[in-house]
Amino acid sequence: MRRLGILVSGRGSNFIAIADNITAGKLDAEIAIVISNRADALAISAAKQRGIPCHVIPSKGKDRVTHDAEVIAVLRNAKVDLVCLAGYMRLLSADFVRAFPGRILNIHPSLLPAFPGLDAQKQAFDAGVKMSGCTVHFVDDQLDHGQIILQKTVPLMPGDDVDALSARILEQEHIAYSEAIGMVLRGDVVDHTLEKK
Ligand code: GAR
């Protein structure tokens, strides 16, 4: 069974969707560890409730390289095959990216390369686009950047506000992430940018 390490900072709905898809037999993998950089992340209580191993590694007051080294050590100890960022609101150091080449994924609530960074749904809404969505991509050391694996489009509807749009995108995120993880674990897609380095 392939082992996932999931990195979170907050609510954890993408982590929960992955866990539920595994339980439902839609994704052939197991969650080896959930790691949060914040002790108050709801994702941590959700992991505990489900009996999934979890670990808090506070990032506050630490430089990026020191914090990342601690996270890498826990992921290696848990023998993960794939690292999934699920609302992990931190940029990874180059050391982190090199530690798991082609084996780190992220989900972002826009059609990248449009609207990277914070509040992507609000950025899309304010720009007046008619179509947005979500993207699962391989991670490099730039923010919300790297080879795209899968995207799901979501239309903006008349009368939408940012919350309605965010909820519609989140529904698709919960489907897209497990699909993309399955594609990578089966070897259907690989990170071709690694060949150029
Ligand atoms: C999700 O919408 C995810 O796409 C976004 O944070 C949210 C986390 O929600 N990630 C980013 O914006 C990454 N730049 P969750 O904690 O409920 O999964």
Side-chain angles (χ1 to χ4, degrees), residues 62-178:
K62 280 178 206 152
D63 66 73
R64 190 174 309 284
V65 170
T66 308
H67 179 255
D68 279 4
E70 291 176 31
V71 177
I72 292 167
V74 172
L75 289 169
R76 283 192 171 140
N77 193 44
K79 299 194 172 14
V80 305
D81 297 295
L82 203 62
V83 179
C84 303
L85 313 186
Y88 187 63
M89 296 319 224
R90 286 180 62 78
L91 188 64
L92 300 189
S93 61
D95 282 354
F96 196 136
V97 176
R98 268 195 298 270
F100 300 95
R103 293 191 291 133
I104 310 175
L105 310 189
N106 180 43
I107 189 156
H108 183 74
S110 76
L111 296 176
L112 290 172
F115 314 123
L118 288 177
D119 300 323
Q121 305 94 329
K122 182 174 186 307
Q123 292 185 54
F125 188 82
D126 291 347
V129 296
K130 299 294 177 205
M131 195 65 84
S132 191
C134 63
T135 303
V136 185
H137 62 95
F138 288 107
V139 169
D140 61 19
D141 56 6
Q142 296 174 54
L143 183 67
D144 300 323
H145 189 267
Q147 185 185 305
I148 291 170
I149 299 166
L150 190 109
Q151 292 183 310
K152 300 258 182 211
T153 54
V154 171
L156 277 86
M157 303 291 198
D160 260 357
D161 57 14
V162 175
D163 287 347
L165 174 64
S166 302
R168 201 176 306 122
I169 293 174
L170 193 63
E171 248 174 63
Q172 294 305 309
E173 291 187 46
H174 293 165
I175 300 166
Y177 214 167
S178 295

